Amino acid sequence: MTTTLDQLTQKEPREAAPIISLQNVAFQYPGAESMALHNVHLTVQPGEFIAIAGTNGSGKSTLCKCLNGLIPNYYVGDLSGSVEIAGLQAANETVSSLSRKVAYVFQDFENQLVRPTVFDEASFAPLNYGYADYRERGLRALAMLGIEHLKEQWIWQLSGGQKHLTALAGALSLDPEIIIVDEPVAQLDPFHARLIYDKLNMLNKQYGKTIIVIEHHTEFIADYCHKVVLMDSGTIRWIKPVQEALSSIDELAARHILPPQVTLAVRDAEAAMMVEQPDNRLYPITIDEAVRYFESRSATPAILTDAPCDSVEGNAETSPSQKPLVAFSNVSYGYKTITREIHPVIRNMTITFHEGDRIALVGNNGAGKSTLLKLISGIRRPNAGLLEVCGHLTKQASPELLSDFVSYIYQNPEEMFIEDSIRKDVEYFLKARGNADYRPFVDEIIERLRLTPLQDRDGRLLSGGQQRRATLAIGLAMRPTVMLLDEPTASLDAASRREMTDMLAQLHDHVKTTIIATHDMQLVAEWANRVIVMHQGQVALDTDQRSLFRHVAVLEQAGLIAPQITLLSQKLGLEPPCLSVAEFTERFTGGQISSSNKSQWSKEGFTIGST
């Protein structure tokens, strides 16, 4: 057979060059005893949707800051290895030049909003780069995200979800090839969290953008991502397709990463019924996959409907004669706008909180949850009405006086660091109040929250999850009567989340009432004994956690989505729906779950069904 010249010169199809290539990358922060990154090798192809997972402090954010030049141009330290981004050697580039290729939306996205209106923000980057079409670029970015109708809105008027999209639009206006989002859902209500991921999915599929997210919430990883990069102690342990990654339950558990609730439900049900589980077993990772799995099994709805009905509307545990620790009486609060009109945030609220309450404040961004906490702490004072906290009217009491009774942990953790080390921050209140023997108590808190290796570090230089743990330690050191926490589980890995609730339980002699503003519906389902749904500054519903998920209209109005296991229960027709994996497994298997299986999960870092 004769070979022609054309055949000799014809080339085989070549795989596209990687858009990100890291080879043997290492980095160490100044003053740190250990490497933040070491021996990191990573290749990402154009158009991939990648999740980076790992425990707090594993190096996720540090890795991503190497991709846009923040390391080493802004965060100085010892960097070695090769970082190539879209054909550019990052070592030869600046943050400015790399921003044309890489968009970065930070976990604290509000801090990167620098202009007064949405359109100004979206157009700001191309204007500063000297693009003549900067207006068109800004409008195009807003249109891509479906928020062009907000272009004339002031930034301070936006909800959290709208601010997040605006920050993303500002980054998109330079038409980057890579979009990195650090903890997309950490500060958002469930509805807006899903909306952000829908927009990222659209940018990936319709516009071919390479998407990288740092994420603890594996249910979002399951629904949207292609691959998972697992980080551990500053290096990459493995890179796997998403279903294989989330089916690696034992490995994830050992690193305090919770697989999707539906994945755990299948795993636990099979273990209880002695179904053989090979090492390479691929489990359902989405609700729809789990519905098909359980519907194909022999369990009947009749078996699945028996469940405790121990909840009633309202706060059943409170005695009517008990004097409340916190009492709102026709309280209203608002702030002046630039037109000097009052923008209402809390509207004519009357409600009481009692000893023993474990209260979850839920609702969409902008509902008034954080403002309610600030009113209780004395940081804000009512425009109208009376608010009494631990026997003191807040109109007459200073925040300093109230701090003897109330500990308030901010939503943005960096706002709580005033010293140059975590230990000094934790000790600050006790020393200021003249407590002589505070050191053993501080030692205990720092050890329990896994902060001992970090206690001499500046809190502002820690990862987001480490900052959350540090602020919790600061608040607990105050030994408060009323503990207020604003989004305490945002950015926390499973171990830190469990330690937080364990610590609160251990301090029940000191903390009489705990009020948490949260978007974490799993925490609501498993921790709270009272749930207050807020909408537009008012109480839309005051109930218990099991009754909450029956109020479909209220949930939709407040932008709330039930936990994955609750949604699975509802799709399978279970009434009442389950609140935890343990409850679901117990009902599905008729109580066959074994104590040996429970102890195995406890050893791996979280109790079965604790997700």
Side-chain angles (χ1 to χ4, degrees):
M1 179 177 178
T2 304
T3 302
T4 66
L5 181 61
D6 287 342
Q7 289 172 321
L8 285 173
T9 57
Q10 188 176 19
K11 296 180 179 179
E12 291 292 327
R14 294 170 60 183
E15 185 178 356
I19 196 166
I20 294 173
S21 177
L22 278 65
Q23 301 297 324
N24 199 30
V25 172
F27 180 74
Q28 186 170 10
Y29 289 101
E33 296 181 359
S34 59
M35 303 289 290
L37 298 175
H38 63 93
N39 194 33
V40 171
H41 296 265
L42 175 65
T43 299
V44 177
Q45 295 298 325
E48 289 191 309
F49 199 137
I50 304 291
I52 301 179
T55 189
N56 297 135
S58 61
K60 305 182 299 296
S61 295
T62 300
L63 173 65
C64 288
K65 287 168 184 171
C66 292
L67 303 182
N68 73 339
L70 284 176
I71 292 176
N73 293 305
Y74 183 78
Y75 297 95
V76 297
D78 297 325
L79 177 66
S80 61
S82 171
V83 180
E84 185 174 330
I85 308 297
L88 302 175
Q89 285 293 332
N92 302 327
E93 302 295 327
T94 65
V95 176
S96 175
S97 61
L98 284 174
S99 64
R100 290 183 170 94
K101 301 290 185 180
V102 184
Y104 201 121
V105 180
F106 292 91
Q107 182 179 327
D108 52 347
F109 53 86
E110 291 192 41
N111 286 342
Q112 67 187 100
L113 301 174
V114 297
R115 300 297 295 160
T117 71
V118 171
F119 177 66
D120 287 339
E121 183 65 39
S123 307
F124 184 69
L127 171 63
N128 278 271
Y129 277 101
Y131 288 112
D133 62 341
Y134 69 93
R135 291 179 177 274
E136 290 77 9
R137 285 173 173 266
L139 288 172
R140 183 166 61 248
L142 295 176
M144 288 171 70
L145 298 175
I147 57 171
E148 61 268 40
H149 62 286
L150 298 175
K151 66 179 182 177
E152 303 300 332
Q153 291 288 309
W154 301 97
I155 294 294
W156 54 265
Q157 290 180 306
L158 303 179
S159 69
Q162 291 169 336
K163 289 179 181 177
H164 204 296
L165 287 173
T166 301
L168 181 57
L172 275 176
S173 60
L174 292 176
D175 195 23
E177 299 175 49
I178 303 163
I179 299 171
I180 301 173
V181 187
D182 194 345
E183 297 283 358
V185 308
Q187 298 186 44
L188 300 180
D189 61 67
F191 172 80
H192 284 102
R194 184 68 58 179
L195 176 63
I196 289 292
Y197 264 100
D198 286 340
K199 297 299 185 183
L200 292 175
N201 191 49
M202 176 272 297
L203 292 171
N204 175 250
K205 291 185 175 179
Q206 293 186 23
Y207 294 92
K209 305 295 184 183
T210 302
I211 308 293
I212 298 175
V213 295
I214 300 173
E215 189 57 85
H216 286 294
H217 296 80
T218 51
E219 66 271 24
F220 288 101
I221 295 176
D223 287 339
Y224 294 95
C225 297
H226 304 153
K227 292 181 180 178
V228 179
V229 176
L230 178 63
M231 296 200 66
D232 185 21
S233 302
T235 194
I236 293 176
R237 181 171 178 82
W238 47 246
I239 304 172
K240 295 181 180 180
V242 64
Q243 187 145 25
E244 181 182 347
L246 297 183
S247 295
S248 303
I249 297 177
D250 294 339
E251 286 189 271
L252 296 177
R255 287 157 186 83
H256 310 297
I257 300 171
L258 297 174
Q261 286 187 313
V262 296
T263 306
L264 290 176
V266 174
R267 156 77 179 252
D268 297 345
E270 290 185 350
M273 296 183 293
M274 305 301 179
V275 176
E276 185 177 354
Q277 299 171 317
D279 292 339
N280 59 350
R281 167 81 158 95
L282 295 181
Y283 293 96
I285 62 173
T286 67
I287 292 177
D288 290 341
E289 291 173 356
V291 168
R292 290 193 293 270
Y293 171 88
F294 285 109
E295 284 183 341
S296 69
R297 297 312 184 261
S298 58
T300 65
I303 296 175
L304 296 171
T305 51
D306 294 329
C309 295
D310 53 1
S311 58
V312 294
E313 289 292 312
N315 185 22
E317 297 187 16
T318 298
S319 169
S321 61
Q322 183 184 11
K323 181 176 174 59
L325 291 174
V326 179
F328 286 73
S329 179
N330 299 314
V331 169
S332 294
Y333 173 81
Y335 58 85
K336 285 186 178 180
T337 68
I338 59 174
T339 61
R340 295 192 169 275
E341 296 178 351
I342 296 294
H343 177 77
V345 181
I346 300 295
R347 305 167 188 258
N348 197 34
M349 179 175 290
T350 297
I351 195 169
T352 57
F353 304 138
H354 294 78
E355 182 174 345
D357 280 348
R358 299 190 307 275
I359 298 164
L361 292 177
V362 299
N364 47 14
N365 293 105
K369 303 184 298 297
S370 296
T371 300
L372 186 71
L373 298 185
K374 290 177 181 178
L375 287 168
I376 296 173
S377 70
I379 296 174
R380 298 281 185 269
R381 294 188 177 185
N383 299 135
L386 296 176
L387 171 55
E388 186 176 350
V389 177
C390 297
H392 298 273
L393 288 174
T394 61
K395 281 188 174 182
Q396 302 170 0
S398 67
E400 290 77 16
L401 173 62
L402 291 175
S403 67
D404 285 331
F405 306 96
V406 180
S407 175
Y408 175 40
I409 299 179
Y410 288 73
Q411 179 175 351
N412 297 318
E414 64 274 8
E415 295 179 15
M416 295 191 66
F417 302 121
I418 57 177
E419 297 282 0
D420 59 4
S421 75
I422 290 175
R423 184 173 188 91
K424 290 180 181 177
D425 281 319
V426 175
E427 294 174 342
Y428 184 86
F429 180 86
L430 297 172
K431 291 173 68 175
R433 290 298 193 270
N435 287 302
D437 191 22
Y438 62 82
R439 289 183 179 85
F441 182 60
V442 171
D443 288 338
E444 178 189 351
I445 290 176
I446 288 176
E447 179 64 28
R448 283 286 298 163
L449 290 174
R450 295 188 290 124
L451 293 169
T452 302
L454 304 172
Q455 62 180 323
D456 295 322
R457 296 268 306 274
D458 189 324
R460 286 156 290 215
L461 299 179
L462 301 180
S463 71
Q466 290 169 334
Q467 288 182 338
R468 295 281 178 189
R469 284 190 277 134
T471 57
L472 178 63
I474 293 169
L476 292 175
M478 298 169 69
R479 300 180 187 248
T481 301
V482 178
M483 174 75 88
L484 311 174
L485 302 100
D486 201 346
E487 293 294 345
T489 59
S491 308
L492 290 186
D493 58 31
S496 300
R497 184 171 175 270
R498 185 186 67 251
E499 286 164 353
M500 181 200 72
T501 53
D502 286 349
M503 182 67 80
L504 290 175
Q506 290 178 15
L507 294 182
H508 65 275
D509 290 336
H510 302 285
V511 180
K512 296 182 179 179
T513 299
T514 306
I515 307 173
I516 293 179
T518 184
H519 297 308
D520 185 346
M521 301 307 288
Q522 294 181 22
L523 178 67
V524 172
E526 298 172 12
W527 172 82
N529 62 11
R530 185 178 174 192
V531 184
I532 297 172
V533 181
M534 295 188 64
H535 182 64
Q536 295 183 348
Q538 296 179 311
V539 175
L541 183 66
D542 185 353
T543 185
D544 63 275
Q545 77 275 41
R546 191 176 294 278
S547 300
L548 170 67
F549 302 111
R550 295 191 177 100
H551 296 271
V552 178
V554 174
L555 293 176
E556 291 180 353
Q557 181 187 53
L560 302 176
I561 300 174
Q564 210 184 35
I565 199 68
T566 304
L567 293 174
L568 174 62
S569 304
Q570 291 170 336
K571 285 181 176 290
L572 292 173
L574 308 190
E575 180 58 38
C578 301
L579 299 182
S580 69
V581 174
E583 181 186 344
F584 181 91
T585 307
E586 191 82 10
R587 290 166 67 181
F588 182 81
T589 63
Q592 296 178 46
I593 191 164
S594 66
S595 59
S596 62
N597 193 38
K598 289 183 181 180
S599 62
Q600 174 192 2
W601 280 94
S602 296
K603 280 192 301 182
E604 290 172 348
F606 51 95
T607 307
I608 186 168
S610 65
T611 57

